Amino acid sequence: MPPMHDALRSPPMRCLLLKDAFRHAPDRTGGAGRDTNAHAYLMLSYLLQRLGLALVTCLFISALTFLIIRLPPGDFVDAYIANLTASGSSVSHEQAEAMRREYGLDQPVLVQYARWMGRVLQGDFGVSMVWRRPVTEVIGDRLWLTMVVSLAALFLTWAIALPIGIYSAVRQYSIGDYIFTTLGFIGLAIPNFLLALILMYLGFRYLGLNVGGLFSPDYVQAPWSWARVWDLIKHLPLPAAVLALAGTAQLIRIMRANLLDELRRPYVVTARAKGLSEMRAILKYPVRAALNPFASSVAYLFPYLVSGSIVVSLVLGLPTVGPLLLQALVAQDMFLAGAIVLLLGVMTVIGTLISDILLIWIDPRIRLEGRA
Amino acid sequence: MRRREFGATLLAASGLASAAMAQSSGSVRDSALVGELEGPTLVSDPARRPQRFAEAPMLAEQVRAGRLPPVEQRLPQDLMVVQPLRSVGRYGGTWRRGFIGPGDSENGNRLMSADKPLFFDKTGTQIVPCLCKGYEVSADGKRTTVFLRKGMRWSDGTPHTADDWVFWFEDLYKNPDLVPAPAPEMSADGKPGRVEKVDETTVVFIFEAANYLFPYLLAGDTLVGGGQTRQQSDGRAYSVYAPMHYLKQFLPKYSSAEALNAQARAAGFTTWVQLFRNKSDWRLNRDLPTLAAWRMVQPITGQQWVLERNPYFYAVDTEGNQLPYIDRIQMTLAENPEVVNLRAIAGDYDYQERFIDLGKLPILLENRQRSRYRVHLDPGFNGGDTVLFPSLTYTEDKEIGALLADARFRRALSLGIDREQLNEVFWLGLGTPGSVIPDRIIPESPGEEWRTKWSTHEPAQANRLLDSVGLTRKDREGFRLRRDNGQRLRIEIAVAQTLSPTWPQQAEMIVQHWRQIGIAADVKVMERSLALTRALNDQHQIFMWTNNGTESLYLYPRYALPVDPTAGVMGNAHALWFASNGQRGTAPTEPEMKRAFDLMRAAAGQQEAERIKTAQEVWKIIVEQQWGIGIVGLSPAFMGVRVVSERLENVPARTGVSQHIRTPWGARPEQWYFKS
């Protein structure tokens, strides 16, 4: 039965079969067991290697971060003086010098970096110069909210994009495909800050929504309660929608293209020929295969989860980590900016690591290449 | 930038209905949006001092619970009695407001201005009592005595006495770790003054030369007059008094440096100085005692910056109700000024003037009924919201430096600008085009004829002036050529991205105007701190800034003359020369500048009437020499567009907008109240 043979050779089927083999390894014959052991060993060394590289990368990221923050002329004290001048005060030369000494800004950049890194390694990220609070506290405040917004946006993106992607692939060149594709491209073409502004205006004008922020004024400082959670949920749709819409178009297109590739494969034809229901014939195998590329995008999701979108957060006035990073960079608050960029770097590295592992797990071809 | 442009189009689309209003140039002062300057009055007649006192319910509750002494015992004998603007108010409510982050200290500092030693009336010119009930200057001008309110207490109940003033002078001001540079305000004729206690409620400032100006410095927004909240935050240790009973524990003199350093490290700092700065900063430390009407209960470093009534505040209304009427001030973090504007339009604020953008006026007006607020326009007193400051000590290009130092060239540049067009486009016609001089309401203003002097659009005259400078040769496109190498003369206007969102566009428009007089110019838009650092180093050719604050020549001269080396906008080498008494910097080459410097130095030793004449003289020289090229001013652009809840009472129809009136505090928020 040649068609069946073909279906077996197609990646999803093989993947499933290999996974089964892997899971049931101990029950198999000795030869297969040795192969699995060698395999596990290779996996382990591969992972260790990746982990080591990840650490070095993080170190490089931190050094680079620090240098880049120091690249523009001036330092935190200059930015601080500028802020005071703009609000009507001023700082004398002597006072500025005293401040530089206080913050250690009179030292060479390398010394400053070494000191900072030394403290970071002990888990102390220093005190933010702008906020005058420990960096961990400043970021911690916003981290959870950022993740809530990002996750909400992520799920919304997937909830919209995946069904549409599947639909447009299955009904390629249908009216529905054209409509969704057009909408998707419009969504992609409109900068999301613009969308944010428009939605914010419409929301305020016609729905009487609260503008900006994630809480109503009454709940900003309130301790956590169900009322506060409800308030947060009421504020979530707008930012989640803005953030989600921009990502949807891309996802729809990826999903559509991947699925189209899969749908043309013989195993789908076989599945249909065998009389599988259309729903099952599409969802069971081709869609799962088409999902593969999403695993590799996990790497980018991680930093996104902790930073959110800077521009959209700024426009919508969301108290997330993104605007914090921007402010820190403008004010040249090295400790805060350094810590956030380091966090983003570490998240990217972890994300890459996880996506690597995911891909190995999902797609055996990568593993084979690793062995060769 | 793009986002702002979008905002502008959005406004243009939605604000068509209001376009008629926007074009009513010149009639702004007649429009219903600009009211009469007004404010509550202070009652000085002892016969009208209330005999029975009342307090806010939230405090009465604490008194009943035994956590607070009764109101009679909390108030000083020397009360401040305020006659409310329209009616005696009722207690309660939260004033909702917006701020934009930990750098926005002034937002709250201003609300806390009741702790200033002295203050000004609604016009910002006459001294009125504040923390001190009065002052006296000796006949020779060398001694200024201030009288504290007897029985006044800090917000923790500890008495406030002359010892707090001497403590500041001896232990804060004289400690070089805390105050690395002496305050220029604390010296007369270059020699430092000192502070002495006369009795429990009397303090004297002693100088070696006549210093009639000193009480004005105590009333202005200066290093000595700023009050504890303003001048002992953000790393400063100025002002003229400090809570001795509280801050002592953080000074090595009264503790030990080792113990304090250990305490500092435990708190995440490195030295005791940082610890002290943190503990003495009202924005960060809620335990710090204050004398203002409210005290901080949620620091500036969070999502909300919250102030709550000070149970020991020293003022009452005419019926003996202790002020303030409003219980709490709740400032909510907005990630940027645009969000502040949007929330104001949505009615999320009860009183907001800070960050409200004049360009949003049409949409603000459109939403008045819907969001239940009033809009007031308060024209400022300063002559130029936008001023071009030619650097008088520019050395990076000799030819351009020489031209900028030439009064004829500066006058020509000024005459080449079409201010009416700028006013229409960027101020919605609500400003007043003209020179840098302050509003006529300020006695120091030299007279309205000086507003138009060298400050009208006269391209022909400008061309003649430029020819007379020697810039006679032009290239094929009509641009004038340099005198040294025959190349096209190109002047740079440096613009900082701050304060006004439209500065870059304003500069571009001026560049277009200058084409008519054959001057080629480029606009360089810079990030704020870079622009200001370059200004301090005289690296700009022409710097676009404001003279906001310089409505008062003596209290804030930095944007009138190059005298303050900490804020260079117009030739900082001269400022350094002036401040160091000729030790450093570059001596002025223009004799008029030397004369202006001499007049400024002499002013401190002059009595009021003479001093005002001197100021008028200085302003005339400034306009004549065009050290600052005023564009458009006397407008509501800076803090002059007020969004006020319909429920808020006793709010003046117009309030002074000035650094020294501490806008919005000049409108006396203590006596505002919410209608039921």
Side-chain angles (χ1 to χ4, degrees):
Chain A
M1 293 201 304
M4 189 60 211
H5 186 70
D6 251 23
L8 265 176
R9 254 217 306 248
S10 78
M13 292 301 264
R14 255 184 48 194
C15 165
L16 289 171
L17 287 179
L18 272 174
K19 213 168 73 184
D20 277 358
F22 202 71
R23 202 178 289 149
H24 303 299
D27 303 334
R28 297 273 173 119
T29 58
R34 263 206 308 280
D35 190 42
T36 315
N37 278 341
H39 205 105
Y41 171 76
L42 273 169
M43 273 282 280
L44 198 69
S45 76
Y46 172 77
L47 279 184
L48 281 177
Q49 201 188 339
R50 299 295 308 219
L51 211 63
L53 266 175
L55 281 177
V56 176
T57 314
C58 283
L59 206 67
F60 265 108
I61 291 173
S62 78
L64 210 59
T65 309
F66 211 81
L67 286 178
I68 288 174
I69 295 172
R70 290 308 313 268
L71 268 186
D75 55 21
F76 169 71
V77 176
D78 289 318
Y80 177 80
I81 292 172
N83 183 39
L84 285 186
T85 309
S87 67
S89 311
S90 60
V91 174
S92 67
H93 182 67
E94 291 83 354
Q95 213 178 337
E97 286 312 306
M99 268 188 81
R100 284 203 173 87
R101 277 196 301 280
E102 255 178 61
Y103 287 112
L105 293 172
D106 50 341
Q107 305 283 335
V109 180
L110 270 179
V111 176
Q112 289 183 39
Y113 173 68
R115 279 188 186 169
W116 180 65
M117 211 50 217
R119 293 225 307 261
V120 167
L121 289 177
Q122 297 168 32
D124 173 10
F125 285 86
V127 174
S128 157
M129 297 171 180
V130 174
W131 293 80
R132 310 211 178 209
R133 283 167 75 200
V135 166
T136 39
E137 252 182 68
V138 176
I139 300 177
D141 279 358
R142 293 173 170 236
L143 199 55
W144 295 115
L145 287 175
T146 312
M147 289 172 89
V148 167
V149 176
S150 303
L151 279 176
L154 201 63
F155 284 124
L156 197 59
T157 312
W158 286 3
I160 299 174
L162 292 187
I164 294 181
I166 295 169
Y167 174 85
S168 355
V170 175
R171 300 265 183 274
Q172 195 187 7
Y173 303 136
S174 68
I175 301 254
D177 178 26
Y178 282 127
I179 291 176
F180 284 129
T181 306
T182 312
L183 283 180
F185 275 117
I186 291 176
L188 192 68
I190 298 179
N192 47 13
F193 67 85
L194 187 63
L195 199 63
L197 279 172
I198 295 172
L199 287 183
M200 201 151 68
Y201 180 74
L202 294 179
F204 159 68
R205 193 92 185 91
Y206 299 106
L207 303 174
L209 291 179
N210 259 316
V211 191
L214 280 176
F215 297 100
S216 324
D218 299 342
Y219 286 104
V220 171
Q221 205 82 27
W224 281 104
S225 63
W226 286 115
R228 190 171 189 234
V229 172
W230 177 238
D231 189 59
L232 176 63
I233 291 172
K234 277 196 296 191
H235 280 81
L236 262 185
L238 185 64
V242 171
L243 288 171
L245 285 182
T248 341
Q250 203 182 358
L251 257 178
I252 293 176
R253 297 309 288 178
I254 295 177
M255 187 66 207
R256 182 175 178 272
N258 285 343
L259 196 54
L260 279 176
D261 280 354
E262 292 297 325
L263 285 177
R264 292 197 188 107
R265 288 184 193 258
Y267 75 89
V268 182
V269 180
T270 311
R272 283 185 177 136
K274 288 268 178 186
L276 249 63
S277 72
E278 185 66 13
M279 187 77 165
R280 198 167 152 80
I282 291 169
L283 287 187
K284 180 89 179 171
Y285 303 115
V287 168
R288 277 163 78 180
L291 275 175
N292 260 16
F294 292 111
S296 52
S297 68
V298 168
Y300 306 104
L301 284 182
F302 267 70
Y304 167 73
L305 278 185
V306 296
S307 79
S309 158
I310 297 182
V311 180
V312 170
S313 297
L314 263 178
V315 172
L316 290 175
L318 305 181
T320 58
V321 176
L324 198 65
L325 174 62
L326 183 70
Q327 284 171 14
L329 288 173
V330 169
Q332 305 209 16
D333 184 344
M334 296 183 311
F335 297 145
L336 184 54
I340 296 178
V341 177
L342 190 60
L343 180 70
L344 294 182
V346 170
M347 283 318 236
T348 314
V349 169
I350 293 179
T352 314
L353 205 61
I354 290 182
S355 81
D356 282 354
I357 296 171
L358 264 181
L359 279 176
I360 290 171
W361 182 60
I362 294 177
D363 191 344
R365 280 170 302 184
I366 293 175
R367 195 163 23 169
L368 294 175
E369 277 158 28
R371 184 152 52 179
Chain B
M1 227 33 254
R2 230 181 232 167
R3 202 161 53 70
R4 288 203 185 283
E5 279 160 22
F6 167 70
T9 26
L10 183 77
L11 285 179
S14 61
L16 285 176
S18 317
M21 187 273 327
Q23 281 169 14
S24 59
S25 164
S27 62
V28 52
R29 279 157 199 261
D30 308 327
S31 88
L33 298 174
V34 182
E36 281 296 309
L37 255 191
E38 59 180 0
T41 43
L42 301 183
V43 178
S44 50
D45 179 5
R48 288 186 62 198
R49 182 186 191 276
Q51 295 306 317
R52 297 190 27 222
F53 302 104
E55 64 194 325
M58 68 179 277
L59 294 181
E61 209 171 285
Q62 292 183 45
V63 173
R64 274 196 300 278
R67 288 196 301 270
L68 211 60
V71 63
E72 297 78 28
Q73 292 172 29
R74 299 199 308 267
L75 289 166
Q77 287 94 303
D78 290 324
L79 282 167
M80 174 185 272
V81 181
V82 180
Q83 166 87 58
L85 180 60
R86 283 182 246 289
S87 52
V88 167
R90 56 184 283 274
Y91 285 116
T94 298
W95 166 10
R96 297 167 303 155
R97 198 173 155 77
F99 81 111
I100 60 162
D104 193 15
S105 318
E106 268 290 84
N107 203 329
N109 284 345
R110 288 165 177 260
L111 309 182
M112 299 286 281
S113 299
D115 72 349
K116 287 167 59 63
L118 296 167
F119 191 55
F120 288 116
D121 67 344
K122 63 191 176 198
T123 65
T125 52
Q126 296 302 312
I127 296 181
V128 298
C130 195
L131 195 63
C132 302
K133 62 176 177 179
Y135 71 97
E136 201 174 84
V137 183
S138 65
D140 63 359
K142 292 182 181 173
R143 293 169 67 91
T144 297
T145 312
V146 297
F147 306 102
L148 312 186
R149 295 175 188 278
K150 194 158 178 256
M152 174 134 95
R153 289 167 192 276
W154 292 95
S155 55
D156 61 359
T158 312
H160 167 76
T161 67
D163 292 327
D164 290 320
W165 294 57
V166 177
F167 166 74
W168 168 77
F169 183 67
E170 298 292 339
D171 292 332
L172 267 55
Y173 184 66
K174 280 191 178 170
N175 186 329
D177 288 327
L178 295 176
V179 180
E185 291 91 336
M186 275 301 291
S187 64
D189 205 18
K191 292 187 237 5
R194 58 183 200 276
V195 180
E196 281 177 15
K197 171 183 175 178
V198 178
D199 61 39
E200 280 302 294
T201 56
T202 315
V203 178
V204 61
F205 292 83
I206 304 166
F207 298 97
E208 289 179 35
N211 194 359
Y212 295 104
L213 190 61
F214 194 67
Y216 290 85
L217 298 176
L218 284 179
D221 182 44
T222 62
L223 292 182
V224 293
Q228 176 208 3
T229 43
R230 163 91 160 121
Q231 292 301 346
Q232 286 169 27
S233 54
D234 256 326
R236 290 181 293 264
Y238 294 105
S239 183
V240 278
Y241 62 89
M244 175 171 77
H245 65 286
Y246 178 77
L247 287 179
K248 254 184 171 176
Q249 54 177 320
F250 302 109
L251 286 174
K253 185 176 163 190
Y254 300 96
S255 172
S256 84
E258 293 85 64
L260 284 174
N261 281 332
Q263 203 183 332
R265 276 190 295 275
F269 303 108
T270 37
T271 63
W272 71 265
V273 177
Q274 285 176 338
L275 179 72
F276 184 89
R277 294 209 193 290
N278 185 277
K279 292 294 180 186
S280 62
D281 193 325
W282 79 279
R283 305 167 307 140
L284 304 171
N285 177 15
R286 55 168 75 84
D287 296 329
L288 181 76
T290 175
L291 297 165
W294 291 275
R295 62 202 170 88
M296 185 274 286
V297 290
Q298 288 286 349
I300 188 172
T301 52
Q303 289 296 308
Q304 277 187 339
W305 188 12
V306 182
L307 320 180
E308 204 172 84
R309 63 167 65 254
N310 169 7
Y312 290 90
F313 187 55
Y314 58 81
V316 298
D317 66 19
T318 38
E319 290 183 5
N321 299 307
Q322 185 188 27
L323 298 175
Y325 292 131
I326 296 176
D327 285 339
R328 285 154 58 88
I329 302 174
Q330 176 182 286
M331 289 177 268
T332 304
L333 181 69
E335 300 293 332
N336 62 54
E338 293 290 320
V339 175
V340 174
N341 281 281
L342 261 165
R343 288 187 180 157
I345 290 163
D348 286 350
Y349 299 138
D350 297 307
Y351 188 110
Q352 184 82 24
E353 76 303 328
R354 203 170 169 82
F355 307 120
I356 300 293
D357 180 2
L358 183 61
K360 304 272 189 303
L361 189 59
I363 204 168
L364 277 170
L365 292 176
E366 201 180 290
N367 285 285
R368 274 185 295 187
Q369 268 91 33
R370 177 197 162 92
S371 298
R372 309 189 141 274
Y373 57 73
R374 306 186 290 262
V375 175
H376 297 283
L377 294 182
D378 306 321
F381 297 152
N382 62 304
D385 292 332
T386 300
V387 178
L388 291 181
F389 289 106
S391 175
L392 306 174
T393 50
Y394 182 72
T395 51
E396 288 181 7
D397 181 323
K398 280 220 162 55
E399 163 76 348
I400 290 176
L403 285 172
L404 294 174
D406 189 327
R408 292 171 299 171
F409 184 72
R410 295 192 300 260
R411 287 172 194 152
L413 291 184
S414 181
L415 293 170
I417 298 170
D418 182 357
R419 292 170 174 81
E420 297 289 345
Q421 189 188 16
L422 284 150
N423 186 26
E424 282 305 319
V425 174
F426 300 108
W427 280 263
L428 310 175
L430 297 173
T432 303
S435 73
V436 291
I437 62 164
D439 193 287
R440 70 182 93 177
I441 204 169
I442 309 282
E444 293 160 359
S445 188
E448 288 304 292
E449 68 273 23
W450 293 89
R451 189 166 312 285
T452 47
K453 178 96 182 173
W454 300 117
S455 306
T456 45
H457 191 212
E458 312 283 351
Q461 197 186 351
N463 274 319
R464 279 197 299 279
L465 275 168
L466 290 173
D467 291 341
S468 74
V469 172
L471 294 167
T472 43
R473 289 168 51 218
K474 291 183 183 172
D475 63 13
R476 247 181 291 161
E477 287 174 59
F479 288 114
R480 292 173 193 271
L481 305 179
R482 295 166 66 110
R483 295 171 302 187
D484 54 350
N485 59 13
Q487 306 264 320
R488 181 186 286 181
L489 176 69
R490 296 201 80 94
I491 306 275
E492 266 175 29
I493 305 178
V495 182
Q497 275 187 314
T498 180
L499 297 179
S500 169
T502 60
W503 269 349
Q505 290 99 305
Q506 292 180 30
E508 290 292 352
M509 188 177 274
I510 290 171
V511 168
Q512 294 307 315
H513 296 161
W514 282 349
R515 289 176 73 97
Q516 290 178 21
I517 56 170
I519 296 291
D522 301 298
V523 178
K524 275 191 131 181
V525 181
M526 276 174 238
E527 188 272 322
R528 179 174 74 181
S529 58
L530 178 65
L532 287 164
T533 308
R534 285 175 62 89
L536 279 177
N537 294 320
D538 289 341
Q539 287 167 313
H540 295 313
Q541 296 176 1
I542 296 180
F543 186 40
M544 180 176 267
W545 196 248
T546 168
N547 72 1
N548 189 13
T550 303
E551 56 275 353
S552 176
L553 181 68
Y554 295 124
L555 299 183
Y556 208 77
R558 64 176 64 160
Y559 303 140
L561 289 171
V563 290
D564 184 349
T566 68
V569 289
M570 48 162 69
N572 226 27
H574 285 348
L576 203 57
W577 184 87
F578 178 81
S580 65
N581 285 318
Q583 302 289 308
R584 289 183 286 166
T586 319
T589 42
E590 296 174 76
E592 293 84 1
M593 184 65 85
K594 278 203 174 115
R595 180 163 150 68
F597 280 175
D598 290 342
L599 287 169
M600 284 297 279
R601 275 203 208 287
Q606 291 169 347
Q607 304 265 26
E608 190 179 352
E610 195 185 351
R611 197 168 61 231
I612 287 175
K613 278 212 189 72
T614 307
Q616 291 173 345
E617 206 51 43
V618 173
W619 276 121
K620 286 177 195 170
I621 301 175
I622 291 169
V623 175
E624 191 64 53
Q625 297 304 115
Q626 289 292 311
W627 289 319
I629 301 174
I631 309 293
V632 176
L634 307 183
S635 90
F638 290 110
M639 295 185 291
V641 184
R642 264 189 302 158
V643 176
V644 182
S645 161
E646 284 177 357
R647 291 178 55 228
L648 207 57
E649 268 299 307
N650 279 351
V651 175
R654 181 182 169 194
T655 164
V657 175
S658 144
Q659 188 77 20
H660 306 284
I661 298 180
R662 306 298 285 146
T663 318
W665 194 74
R668 300 281 181 171
E670 287 94 75
Q671 50 94 46
W672 300 347
Y673 70 93
F674 287 104
K675 282 191 288 198
S676 48

